[in-house]
């Protein structure tokens, strides 16, 4: 269990550093200023590489989600999960009820590439696409499109109906990914929407192969 202890020590070091960082001075990527990222990355990946998920403690799972969330700018830890589907699925399951949106959206994005575990990935994404955080919902929707989920078209239409600019942009790309017969209809609606990025993405959707 040495790897679990090392991870917890590294997470606690980050927490101690973060506690001294004034909240009002934090930018979107304030975590990048941490000076010991390599140690935290190494400790996180050592757990993923050396232990099966069923050997993780509750604390270790929470530590991994915390580390992934703080690593949202570079996505180094989550990018290593492409080749660790069991770990990815376990962390995605654990994230559902966690309060770490910056971990959730990264895990959702990685699930979109798990075609060999499509059924479980889809089930998890169908939970994440209803998350309270808009960006988590958006990345989960895009991942469902990448998986060619049978639910993607309906969920894309639901996203469009929110009127949210970036939900509408995601909806367009999902409809394209699943080769929806409704894409042309929504491209027309995007032109009527009129917002610059909605219109631009609608045109890009039609131009790309």
């Amino acid at each position: 269990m040495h790897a679990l202890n090392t991870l917890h020590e590294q997470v606690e070091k980050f927490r101690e550093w973060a506690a001294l960082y004034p909240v009002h001075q934090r930018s979107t990527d304030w975590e990048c200023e941490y000076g010991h990222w390599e140690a935290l990355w190494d400790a996180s990946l050592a757990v993923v590489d050396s232990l099966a998920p069923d050997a993780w403690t509750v604390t270790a799972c929470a530590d991994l989600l915390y580390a992934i969330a703080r690593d949202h700018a570079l996505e180094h830890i989550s990018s290593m999960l492409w080749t660790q589907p069991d770990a990815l699925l376990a962390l995605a399951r654990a994230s559902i009820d966690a309060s770490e949106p910056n971990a959730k959206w990264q895990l959702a994005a990685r699930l979109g590439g798990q075609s060999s575990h499509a059924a479980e990935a889809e089930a998890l994404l169908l939970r994440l696409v209803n998350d309270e955080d808009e960006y988590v919902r958006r990345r989960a929707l895009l991942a469902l499109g990448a998986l060619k989920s049978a639910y993607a078209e309906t969920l894309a239409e639901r996203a469009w109906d929110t009127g949210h600019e970036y939900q509408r942009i995601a909806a367009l790309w999902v409809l394209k990914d699943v080769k929806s017969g409704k894409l042309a209809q929504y491209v027309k609606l995007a032109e009527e929407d009129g917002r610059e990025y909605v219109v631009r993405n609608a045109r890009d959707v039609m131009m790309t192969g």
Side-chain angles (χ1 to χ4, degrees):
M1 294 298 175
H2 175 70
L4 301 183
N5 292 334
T6 300
L7 171 61
H8 191 63
E9 289 170 4
Q10 290 300 323
V11 166
E12 287 303 302
K13 285 181 180 179
F14 188 100
R15 289 183 186 275
E16 290 170 6
W17 172 81
L20 299 175
Y21 199 117
V23 174
H24 68 277
Q25 293 181 14
R26 294 181 181 182
S27 63
T28 303
D29 298 330
W30 64 275
E31 297 100 328
C32 291
E33 296 181 31
Y34 185 56
H36 305 285
W37 268 114
E38 288 195 10
L40 183 53
W41 288 334
D42 289 347
S44 299
L45 295 173
V47 170
V48 171
D49 291 339
S50 66
L51 295 170
D54 58 8
W56 299 348
T57 62
V58 172
T59 298
C61 196
D63 284 343
L64 283 168
L65 289 175
Y66 181 86
I68 291 168
R70 304 290 78 75
D71 185 35
H72 67 95
L74 295 178
E75 302 178 50
H76 181 75
I77 301 169
S78 66
S79 71
M80 297 293 109
L81 296 175
W82 282 114
T83 58
Q84 299 279 4
D86 290 341
L88 172 59
L89 292 167
L91 287 165
R93 282 194 297 272
S95 78
I96 299 293
D97 296 318
S99 56
E100 292 288 4
N102 279 333
K104 291 181 182 184
W105 70 254
Q106 291 180 71
L107 295 167
R110 305 304 176 194
L111 288 172
Q114 291 297 314
S115 57
S116 59
H117 297 79
E120 188 168 3
E122 180 185 64
L124 291 166
L125 288 167
L126 289 173
R127 298 282 303 279
L128 291 166
V129 81
N130 289 306
D131 193 80
E132 63 182 7
D133 184 88
E134 185 277 324
Y135 193 53
V136 173
R137 296 196 302 274
R138 194 192 326 164
R139 295 304 295 259
L141 176 61
L142 288 165
L144 285 164
L147 283 178
K148 308 295 189 290
S149 168
Y151 299 95
E153 182 181 79
T154 297
L155 289 168
E157 291 188 282
R158 185 185 75 173
W160 181 273
D161 288 341
T162 66
H164 188 285
E165 181 175 11
Y166 292 107
Q167 287 283 316
R168 287 192 164 187
I169 290 169
L172 291 168
W173 288 103
V174 170
L175 292 172
K176 180 179 179 61
D177 281 344
V178 300
K179 296 180 170 55
S180 171
K182 298 180 179 181
L183 178 59
Q185 170 191 342
Y186 280 91
V187 167
K188 182 178 179 181
L189 289 172
E191 293 285 351
E192 294 172 1
D193 176 291
R195 283 174 285 189
E196 177 184 357
Y197 292 111
V198 176
V199 173
R200 184 182 299 177
N201 276 269
R203 293 172 182 172
D204 288 346
V205 159
M206 297 305 289
M207 290 176 62
T208 56

